């Protein structure tokens, strides 16, 4: 699509006239570069081009090269092949336009440029010459196409070229003057920037190596003091160089030409006006296609002031307080100041010699570090001990182009102070760590024994002490509450001494509240002659006696002692004094805990059974363990309650929570259980009444309970549970059975009725009852705990203890007595086994634990006898006959008379006041039991009979003749029973 039509093929308006008007309006505020850039942008826009280029001929006379000095529209990498072209390259439009002095357009690829491959294949280059006073000096080009530019576009491009020529002809830079600051190197800012550049004493130059022509720009001429009409030959420059610097300058020039490398030299110039100054010149070479140098382009700037500053700096460096030396690339010393001469050696002797031949060669690792710094090219610093004076220096190595420099600062005092500070910080950190460690340990100490153990573990070892003695003030006396490393003979001498008299060392420390530090036995006996001999008894030779002050009160003393004479440092004394305050606070808490815990345990013991009864029906063993943490008492309890007919009630319970209120609730429940058991109520009714008791205490009161009744005659055991863990039943063969784990709700949380489980248990079985403290904890759920208990009971040692001892079935007091003691010992060991396995000694427990184990003993059938009786007066006589015959058969002749009388009275009472059927039963166990049962629910009561009454004295006679008597209800009615001891 040709320029001048829009996207749909219609003609579009040309903005050439407007663009030329805009160019004409450009004022002098813009720099020549900005003006040319503006003109180039307008040309590219008008021609619809891809990019715009400005080439300029600049250099020594006869130069035939056009250089790309300005571009627009494309990045420089895309124009790499257009950066420099020769004027005689006819196929390229810019070169042809300059040579022929007219508008030219040619394909971009016609010159075979490699960069044209990055342009579209059909790109056209339209160029117009830029003419100076002596002819064309450059070209303005637009990359467009693929169509030939229209005449209007060609005319516009020529007009832009003419405008640019006029604009540059009015500029101070000129159109073709390359000696001045070229226009394409100008920066935005107009005359202000130009003035700033002029103020900088720097210029540029160009030397044609083959022609000998040397050109300077305006700034360079001014710097060298050359007039504008100087002869542009290299000899003009050589005449300016100071004769003393000529060899060095020529050597640098020859080296650059020989090695094809950069050129750099600093030298003095003698200006035509007679002044002399220092300048530095730096340049690079341009090579031809054969790699031969053809041109050297460089810059020059004034270094007079910096040279003078360096010389002043050198003087300062020479006499500064820190040592300084420099070495070249061969590690030979090129400079050292006065202070460095003291370390390295006199300048007259060491200059020019390798650094490692002197003292530096013996400094550890110095050579390796120097070589590493030079190789890395990065400054580094480190501390080193210098061998000549054995002092510490901080050496800083700085690589420079021609070698390495070293600065040495004496840091001996700083290191000494730093070492002291580090030591002080270390000691402080250790003290802080000890205090923190002791504080954490004391925070976990609960009892006085714990405090003593913590002191022995955390205070004695760090101080290499061997003895610890802690005394507490109680009732005006100092009592030993803990000691380590003291013989009993010495402890007996100080235990209970008066607090303010009787042992002067302790008395003075306690009264003054200040510590005493004694470093030897001689000092001890000199200070306290009345205590001579005590060190020998105590077997100690140094002491630190510390007062224990808690809440402003002196509560005792703490003595840290040593086997050998020992003088504590001030830091150690300060630390011990600080530790004593922490120990005092911990000891005060521990003593309070001990007191409260002792009271709680005394209360707990008072609420639990002191001695369990030993009925014939079972052999009991029990363990109670209070919680190992906290002072609150728990609500666990247990009981064994003998009932009538050789039956026994076993109960275990747990009031939820800890404290006096829970302990009081436990006492109420235990009393209530005894009362309800004596009423001969079945297990479910006992729990129903206990539930009422707990509910009346409030909504936040709860308790668990397991109540069991064992009948040795029938072998049945009836159990009822309210929220309590299930019992474990160990049968004679060693198998362990756990009842259904889901119980009824706890007391206070549920409503009756409670369920009852009836089990027939073989003779010799074990009933294991426990509270949740045995099987449940924060780290173990109750099911896991029950499983672990089962594993203990079924272990090899557990089976040995659970198996029943060889014994006949119970046949009286003698049989029970022979085997009860041995079995009780085995059950005690079984309790210890369970507690030891489930509650290890080192494990802290937050709940108390009760464990009740009972060996069940069935009653042989030959120890019971029963008879039905008629419902008429002859029943009393028949009862006496049955009693007399049975007791004679059992060999209990001494009980025949009283038992006949008791049976006669009980049967007569039934015949007169109750209804049948009537039954008589005798039971021989540890006592002789006589029972008369009937179908009536009325309860007989003892009443006071008047002297004239004929009746009413039967129950009084029963009470007088029997050890105890009572009534219990049965499913058919009631049973009145009596017990008589068997001799």
């Amino acid at each position: 699509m040709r320029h001048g039509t829009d996207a749909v093929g219609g003609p579009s308006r040309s903005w050439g006239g407007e663009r030329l008007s805009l160019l004409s309006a450009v004022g002098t505020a813009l720099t020549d570069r900005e003006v040319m850039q503006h003109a180039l942008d307008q040309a590219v826009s008008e021609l619809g081009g891809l990019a715009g280029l400005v080439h300029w001929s600049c250099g020594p006379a006869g130069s035939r090269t056009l250089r790309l000095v300005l571009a627009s529209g494309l990045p420089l990498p895309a124009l790499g092949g257009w950066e420099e072209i020769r004027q005689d390259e006819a196929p390229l439009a810019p070169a042809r336009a300059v040579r022929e002095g007219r508008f030219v357009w040619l394909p971009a690829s016609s010159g075979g440029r490699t960069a044209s491959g990055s342009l579209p294949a059909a790109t056209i280059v339209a160029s117009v010459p830029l003419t100076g006073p002596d002819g064309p000096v450059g070209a303005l080009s637009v990359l467009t196409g693929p169509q030939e530019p229209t005449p209007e576009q060609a005319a516009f491009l020529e007009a832009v070229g003419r405008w640019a020529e006029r604009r540059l002809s009015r500029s101070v830079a000129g159109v073709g003057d390359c000696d001045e600051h070229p226009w394409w190197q100008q920066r935005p800012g107009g005359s202000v920037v130009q003035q700033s550049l002029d103020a900088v004493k720097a210029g540029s130059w160009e030397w044609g190596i083959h022609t000998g022509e040397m050109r300077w720009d305006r700034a360079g001429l001014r710097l060298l003091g050359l007039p504008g009409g100087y002869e542009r030959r290299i000899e003009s420059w050589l005449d300016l160089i100071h004769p003393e610097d000529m060899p060095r300058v020529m050597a640098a020039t020859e080296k650059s030409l020989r090695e094809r490398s950069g050129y750099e030299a600093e030298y003095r110039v003698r200006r035509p006006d007679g002044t002399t100054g220092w300048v530095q010149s730096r340049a690079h070479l341009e090579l031809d296609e054969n790699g031969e140098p053809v041109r050297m382009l460089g810059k020059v700037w004034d270094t007079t002031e910096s040279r003078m500053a360096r010389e002043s700096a050198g003087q300062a460096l020479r006499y500064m307080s820190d040592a300084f030396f420099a070495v070249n690339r061969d590690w030979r010393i090129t400079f050292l100041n006065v202070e460095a001469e003291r370390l390295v050696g006199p300048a007259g002797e060491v200059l020019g010699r390798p650094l490692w031949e002197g003292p530096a060669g013996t400094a550890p690792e110095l050579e390796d570090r120097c070589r590493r710094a030079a190789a890395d090219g990065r400054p580094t610093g480190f501390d080193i001990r210098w061998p000549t004076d054995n002092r510490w220096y901080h050496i800083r190595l700085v690589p420079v182009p021609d070698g390495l420099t070293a600065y040495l600062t004496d840091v001996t005092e700083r290191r000494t102070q730093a070492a002291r500070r580090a030591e002080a910080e270390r000691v402080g950190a250790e003290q802080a760590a000890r205090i923190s460690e002791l504080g954490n340990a004391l925070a976990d100490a609960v009892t006085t024994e714990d405090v003593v153990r913590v002191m022995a573990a955390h205070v004695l070892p760090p101080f290499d002490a061997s003895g610890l003695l802690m005394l507490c003030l109680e009732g005006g006396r100092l009592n030993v509450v803990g000691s380590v490393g003291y013989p009993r003979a010495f402890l007996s001498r100080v235990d209970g001494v008066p607090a303010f008299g009787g042992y002067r060392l302790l008395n003075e420390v306690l009264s003054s509240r200040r510590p005493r530090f004694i470093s030897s036995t001689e000092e001890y006996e000199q200070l306290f002659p009345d205590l001579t001999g005590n060190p020998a008894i105590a077997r100690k030779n140094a002491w630190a006696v510390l007062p224990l002050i808690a809440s402003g009160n002196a509560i005792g003393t703490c003595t840290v002692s040593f086997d050998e004479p020992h003088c504590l440092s001030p830091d150690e004394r300060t630390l011990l004094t600080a530790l004593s305050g922490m120990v005092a606070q911990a000891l005060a808490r521990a003593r309070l805990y001990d007191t409260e815990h002792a009271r709680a345990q005394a209360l707990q013991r008072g609420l639990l059974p002191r001695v369990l009864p030993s009925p014939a029906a079972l052999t009991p063993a029990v363990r109670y363990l209070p919680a190992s943490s906290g002072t609150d008492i728990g609500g666990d309890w247990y009981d064994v309650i003998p009932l009538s007919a050789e039956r026994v009630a076993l109960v275990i319970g747990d009031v939820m929570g800890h404290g006096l209120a829970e302990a009081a609730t436990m006492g109420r429940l235990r009393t209530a259980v005894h009362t309800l058991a004596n009423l001969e109520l079945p297990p479910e009714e006992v729990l129903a009444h206990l539930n009422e008791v707990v509910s009346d205490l409030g909504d936040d009161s709860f308790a668990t309970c397991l109540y069991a009744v064992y009948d040795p005659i029938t072998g049945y055991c009836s159990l009822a549970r309210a929220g309590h863990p299930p019992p474990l039943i160990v049968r004679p063969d060693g198998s362990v059975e756990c009842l259904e784990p889901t119980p009824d709700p706890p007391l206070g949380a549920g409503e009756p009725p409670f369920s009852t489980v009836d089990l027939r248990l073989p003779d010799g079985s074990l009933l294991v009852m426990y509270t949740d403290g045995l099987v449940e904890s924060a780290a173990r759920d109750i099911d896991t705990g029950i499983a672990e208990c089962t594993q203990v009971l079924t272990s090899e040692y557990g089976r040995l203890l659970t198996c029943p001892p060889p014994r006949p079935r119970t046949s009286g007091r003698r049989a029970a007595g022979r085997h009860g003691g041995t079995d009780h010992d085995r059950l005690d060991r079984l309790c210890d086994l369970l507690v030891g396995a489930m509650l290890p000694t080192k494990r802290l427990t937050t709940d108390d634990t009760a464990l009740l184990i009972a060996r069940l003993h069935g009653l042989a059938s030959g120890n019971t006898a029963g008879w039905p009786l008629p419902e008429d007066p002859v029943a009393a006589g028949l009862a006496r006959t049955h009693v007399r015959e049975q007791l004679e058969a059992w060999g209990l002749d001494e009980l025949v008379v009283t038992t006949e009388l008791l049976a006669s009275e009980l049967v007569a009472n039934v015949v007169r006041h109750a209804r049948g059927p009537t039954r008589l039963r005798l039971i021989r166990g540890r006592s002789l039991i006589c029972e008369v049962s009937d179908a009536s629910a009325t309860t007989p009561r003892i009443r006071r009979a008047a002297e004239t009454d004929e009746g009413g004295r039967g129950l009084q006679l029963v009470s007088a003749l029997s050890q105890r008597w009572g009534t219990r209800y049965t499913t058919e009615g009631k049973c009145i029973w009596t017990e008589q001891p068997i001799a």
Side-chain angles (χ1 to χ4, degrees), residues 43 99 174 236 254 300 342 344 382 474 641 719 838 884 939:
R99 189 173 64 253
S236 301
E254 293 175 358
V300 63
R342 186 178 62 81
V344 180
F382 53 91
E474 296 174 335
I641 306 172
L719 304 98
M838 303 300 295
R884 182 173 55 255
T939 303

Side-chain angles (χ1 to χ4, degrees), residues 306-318:
S306 61
R307 184 78 181 194
M308 294 175 62
R310 289 200 302 272
E311 291 178 355
S312 299
Q315 291 296 320
L317 197 63
R318 173 71 178 166

Side-chain angles (χ1 to χ4, degrees), residues 501-513:
Y503 202 104
R504 194 153 59 90
L505 172 57
L506 301 175
N507 304 147
E508 289 183 3
V509 170
L510 194 62
S511 59
S512 66
R513 300 189 177 187

Side-chain angles (χ1 to χ4, degrees), residues 453-605:
R453 185 169 57 254
V454 168
M455 281 289 291
H458 293 85
V459 176
L460 298 188
F463 292 93
D464 293 329
S466 61
L468 175 67
L469 176 63
M470 298 187 69
L471 304 172
C472 269
L473 179 60
E474 296 174 335
R477 293 185 175 275
L478 289 172
N479 297 323
V480 176
V481 296
S483 66
V484 174
Y486 279 95
R488 188 183 300 273
F490 177 77
L491 296 178
S492 62
R493 298 192 66 171
V494 298
D495 190 18
V497 298
F500 302 100
Y503 202 104
R504 194 153 59 90
L505 172 57
L506 301 175
N507 304 147
E508 289 183 3
V509 170
L510 194 62
S511 59
S512 66
R513 300 189 177 187
R514 293 183 178 180
R516 291 297 296 266
F517 301 98
I518 303 173
S519 58
S520 65
T521 301
E522 293 76 11
E523 183 182 356
Y524 185 101
E525 294 179 348
Q526 182 180 359
L527 293 172
F528 307 101
D530 55 322
L531 300 178
T532 301
N534 280 347
I537 299 175
R539 302 172 189 169
K540 304 298 177 186
N541 287 283
W543 300 262
V545 186
L546 310 168
L548 298 179
I549 311 298
S551 301
N553 300 317
I555 63 170
T557 64
C558 174
T559 302
V560 177
S561 53
F562 304 83
D563 289 339
E564 301 296 333
H566 186 85
C567 183
L568 293 169
S569 66
D571 290 336
E572 291 177 326
R573 296 186 179 191
T574 301
L575 180 58
L576 279 175
T577 304
L579 295 179
S580 67
M582 300 173 59
V583 174
Q585 298 293 335
L587 185 61
R589 293 194 306 268
R591 297 292 289 171
L592 180 62
Y593 173 87
D594 289 343
T595 302
E596 294 298 325
H597 195 60
R599 292 175 181 172
Q601 287 186 326
L603 176 61
Q604 186 83 51
R605 288 192 297 269

Side-chain angles (χ1 to χ4, degrees), residues 257-406:
L257 295 174
R258 182 177 63 255
E259 297 180 358
R260 308 296 193 265
S261 60
Y263 164 81
E264 183 173 5
E266 186 178 17
Y267 50 91
R268 288 168 288 177
V269 294
R270 298 181 300 173
R271 301 184 180 94
D273 60 2
T275 61
T276 302
W278 283 89
V279 297
Q280 183 160 350
S281 186
R282 187 177 299 165
H284 67 277
L285 290 174
E286 285 190 355
L287 308 179
D288 61 12
E289 59 274 9
N290 297 322
E292 294 297 327
V294 295
R295 186 182 299 108
M296 182 178 287
L297 304 175
K299 296 182 179 180
V300 63
W301 61 92
D302 192 331
T303 61
T304 303
E305 294 181 0
S306 61
R307 184 78 181 194
M308 294 175 62
R310 289 200 302 272
E311 291 178 355
S312 299
Q315 291 296 320
L317 197 63
R318 173 71 178 166
Y319 296 102
M320 70 178 183
S321 59
D322 291 343
F324 173 82
F325 63 83
V327 296
N328 60 17
R329 297 178 184 272
D330 297 327
W331 301 102
R332 295 184 180 274
I333 301 174
T334 58
F335 177 85
L336 71 168
N337 65 0
V338 174
E339 182 64 18
E341 290 184 25
R342 186 178 62 81
L343 301 176
V344 180
E349 299 179 4
V350 301
L351 281 176
R353 294 175 54 187
L355 177 64
W356 317 123
E357 292 183 0
T362 61
E365 299 184 3
L366 178 60
E367 183 175 356
D368 291 340
R369 293 198 176 195
C370 287
R371 295 185 182 276
R372 193 179 309 123
D376 295 342
R378 293 193 299 268
T380 184
F382 53 91
D383 287 358
I384 188 172
R385 187 187 291 273
W386 199 258
T388 57
D389 57 3
N390 206 32
R391 294 180 66 83
W392 283 96
Y393 292 86
H394 179 76
I395 181 170
R396 180 165 178 78
L397 304 176
V398 181
V400 294
D402 56 351
L404 186 76
T405 61

Side-chain angles (χ1 to χ4, degrees), residues 445-448 450 588-605 624 626-635 657-663 844-848:
V446 177
T447 66
T448 301
D450 294 339
R589 293 194 306 268
R591 297 292 289 171
L592 180 62
Y593 173 87
D594 289 343
T595 302
E596 294 298 325
H597 195 60
R599 292 175 181 172
Q601 287 186 326
L603 176 61
Q604 186 83 51
R605 288 192 297 269
Y624 174 79
S628 57
S629 61
T631 59
D632 291 338
I633 59 177
H658 295 82
L660 293 177
E662 286 72 14
L844 293 178
T845 57
T846 58
D847 196 7
D848 47 349

